Amino acid sequence: MATPAQKAASRKVMDAVTALNSALDDTGAEGLHVRLQTVDTFGRRNSNYVVAEIETRETVLP
């Protein structure tokens, strides 16, 4: 069974992912493409994420 600290940490991750998805939707609506990249750090169980690239993309319809 998860401890209260583990539950709180899990909730923080879920809230952060929700906020990230919302921000990515907003940038996509503005014509931007964001590429995230994982970075492994020695001694950590999980990878970190960094913004690898933000670029403008235009949709051209025929």
Side-chain angles (χ1 to χ4, degrees), residues 33-39 49-55:
H33 172 76
V34 177
R35 185 171 63 87
L36 301 175
Q37 183 175 346
T38 58
V39 177
Y49 285 90
V50 296
V51 175
E53 177 179 56
I54 300 176
E55 66 181 12

Side-chain angles (χ1 to χ4, degrees), residues 41-55:
T41 305
F42 181 75
R44 296 187 69 151
R45 290 180 186 251
N46 296 309
S47 300
N48 286 336
Y49 285 90
V50 296
V51 175
E53 177 179 56
I54 300 176
E55 66 181 12

Side-chain angles (χ1 to χ4, degrees), residues 4 7 9 11 13 15 21 25 32 35 39 41 47 50-51 62:
K7 289 179 182 179
R11 171 53 54 196
V13 170
D15 290 345
N21 285 332
D25 286 344
L32 296 172
R35 185 171 63 87
V39 177
T41 305
S47 300
V50 296
V51 175

Side-chain angles (χ1 to χ4, degrees), residues 21-34 55 57 59:
N21 285 332
S22 176
L24 291 172
D25 286 344
D26 292 347
T27 56
E30 295 298 325
L32 296 172
H33 172 76
V34 177
E55 66 181 12
R57 290 191 177 175
T59 303

